[in-house]
Amino acid sequence: MTTTQEFEAIVAAARTAFASASTPADLENAKAQYVGKSGRITELMKGLATLSVEEKKSRGAAINQAKQAIEAALTERRQALADAELAAQLRAEALDVSLPGRIREPGGLHPVSLTLERIEQIFASMGFDVADGPEIESDWHSFTSLNNPPNHPARSMQDTFYVDIDGDDGIPYNLRPHTSPMQVRYAHQHIKRYADAVKRGEPMPEIRVIAPGRTYRVDSDATHSPMFHQCEGLWLGENVSFKDLKVVFTDFCRTFFESDDLALRFRPSFFPFTEPSAEIDIQFQSGPLAGRWLEVAGSGQVHPAVVRNMGLDPEKHIGFAFGMGPDRLTMLRYGVSDLRLFFDGDIRFLRQFR
Ligand code: PHE
């Protein structure tokens, strides 16, 4: 018959077995040997069946005590293993909160973007719409619609990049050399509005729009980049004249440069899509560029052939167009001497405009 000492020995052996279990699975195996279905304690319980009531009482109590002691040891060891596991995980995933963070510098708009925003704001305040169009353009839109047919010598003014896709006319698409195709595109986009107005006998709606964007030419030096920006302007109405062009453009330049100390010169020129045509030069009266004439735009009265290509009547839609260079305006505004700085992506240069 097992004695009290022997019960204590079983409890002690269980404690030792639990202590040497280093994983929860080991621990459950050790547990089975004592309180499992055929464990030591369970076997002892079974043995009670043959005893007298008196013996059952005293011996049963002793077995129960041993069982409780083993279960307490088991619970304790389970908790210890869980604590150790958590501690190991915390150690593995430790975060050194004393490391300095990665500094995120506030970004800023590119100087040319700042100029484009400024141009849009100023022209919007004069009632101009702002339009956007494709940089990969058909030959018809880039040239033919602008009164510049294939083989016309004026095309050589705008040496272009061609793309490996043929248009409907069999002539390859090009990277647009100017924003002028937007004149015809914009008119076509709104043609229904004009037709409806005519149908209802209403006055013809004006076209008053600017179209800023990227343009491409085979050119590269301090003042020319193969990719550059232009902003087209177009104002057509019943009777919009060259005088209006002068007023609008002068107003624009004075607002843009925040200076009335500025002279404008309209120098006769040639474009197939305007007649008469003029280059617009500006002259600062003071500051580092004082006295020099600087070309900022091409312009002119829109040619009737172009108005017809818009699907409109050149007797009813009369007015001017201009195409200016926002890159050049940015150079003048900030005193930058080399255009290529804008497109090199040197953070030290760009940071100055933040
Ligand atoms: N598209 C012309 C150029 O790129 C500029 C221009 C626009 C001239 C509109 C007249 C009217 O040189």
Side-chain angles (χ1 to χ4, degrees):
M1 190 63 49
T2 325
T3 65
T4 313
Q5 274 133 21
E6 280 171 297
F7 286 144
E8 279 167 7
I10 293 172
V11 172
R15 282 214 181 95
T16 312
F18 295 166
S20 60
S22 55
T23 66
D26 286 350
L27 183 60
E28 295 314 308
N29 282 337
K31 169 199 153 182
Q33 287 175 25
Y34 295 92
V35 289
K37 258 195 204 135
S38 47
R40 300 276 297 276
I41 296 291
T42 318
E43 293 300 329
L44 288 173
M45 291 282 207
K46 284 180 194 160
L48 289 177
T50 57
L51 300 182
S52 70
V53 176
E54 219 34 49
E55 277 173 325
K56 264 185 196 159
K57 246 193 198 163
S58 64
R59 195 173 162 73
I63 297 173
N64 251 333
Q65 220 174 9
K67 189 182 177 193
Q68 275 163 18
I70 290 171
E71 273 168 354
L74 182 66
T75 308
E76 201 183 310
R77 184 62 186 152
R78 272 196 191 126
Q79 190 57 51
L81 285 179
D83 287 351
E85 194 179 48
L86 181 64
Q89 194 184 352
L90 287 176
R91 234 177 295 118
E93 293 170 11
L95 197 71
D96 184 353
V97 292
S98 68
L99 273 178
R102 285 196 194 95
I103 293 173
R104 222 190 272 177
E105 292 186 47
L109 285 180
H110 189 280
V112 174
S113 300
L114 291 171
T115 294
L116 291 173
E117 274 197 348
R118 201 171 161 74
I119 292 172
E120 288 174 21
Q121 262 166 23
I122 296 169
F123 278 100
S125 79
M126 296 195 261
F128 281 73
D129 194 6
V130 178
D132 196 18
E135 288 168 37
I136 297 177
E137 190 52 284
S138 72
D139 189 85
W140 190 81
H141 283 96
S142 279
F143 299 111
T144 312
S145 73
L146 295 166
N147 199 31
N148 197 351
N151 304 319
H152 192 286
R155 282 197 176 203
S156 63
M157 291 204 304
Q158 301 179 325
D159 265 338
T160 4
F161 294 106
Y162 285 88
V163 180
D164 228 1
I165 312 166
D166 282 348
D168 294 338
D169 46 11
I171 307 178
Y173 274 78
N174 56 77
L175 296 184
R176 64 179 180 187
H178 53 178
T179 43
S180 297
M182 283 306 293
Q183 294 184 27
V184 177
R185 279 194 177 275
Y186 185 84
H188 283 174
Q189 278 160 13
H190 294 266
I191 199 78
K192 193 172 169 327
R193 200 153 59 82
Y194 310 136
D196 288 350
V198 171
K199 245 185 262 161
R200 287 196 296 263
E202 290 170 6
M204 181 62 83
E206 286 193 339
I207 297 181
R208 213 189 295 187
V209 64
I210 60 163
R214 274 185 283 268
T215 45
Y216 304 82
R217 283 187 210 176
V218 183
D219 252 341
S220 189
D221 59 40
T223 52
H224 296 89
S225 149
M227 189 287 297
F228 59 106
H229 295 83
Q230 275 201 347
C231 180
E232 197 74 7
L234 177 68
W235 185 359
L236 296 179
E238 301 253 320
N239 201 9
V240 180
S241 71
F242 212 96
K243 182 192 76 193
D244 297 304
L245 166 63
K246 284 189 153 182
V247 170
V248 164
F249 211 86
T250 304
D251 256 14
F252 163 73
C253 287
R254 295 197 167 147
T255 312
F256 183 86
F257 289 107
E258 296 168 281
S259 163
D260 286 339
D261 217 11
L262 201 72
L264 268 79
R265 178 170 79 180
F266 288 74
R267 185 163 37 85
S269 184
F270 170 78
F271 299 101
F273 34 93
T274 45
E275 181 59 40
S277 304
E279 306 276 359
I280 308 175
D281 301 334
I282 61 172
Q283 188 190 50
F284 294 94
Q285 309 304 302
S286 55
L289 294 167
R292 273 176 59 193
W293 285 105
L294 305 151
E295 186 186 316
V296 290
S299 66
Q301 283 289 104
V302 178
H303 196 289
V306 176
V307 178
R308 268 191 293 274
N309 286 332
M310 292 173 179
L312 300 170
D313 179 354
E315 300 291 327
K316 296 212 179 80
H317 277 99
I318 295 161
F320 64 80
F322 59 81
M324 63 175 156
D327 306 325
R328 173 64 72 84
L329 295 182
T330 313
M331 290 171 78
L332 293 174
R333 179 146 189 256
Y334 296 110
V336 176
S337 56
D338 193 328
L339 174 73
R340 290 167 292 198
L341 284 167
F342 290 142
F343 309 121
D344 282 348
D346 186 332
I347 196 77
R348 291 165 302 180
F349 171 73
L350 296 172
R351 226 179 233 147
Q352 303 174 70
F353 301 91
R354 207 166 51 195

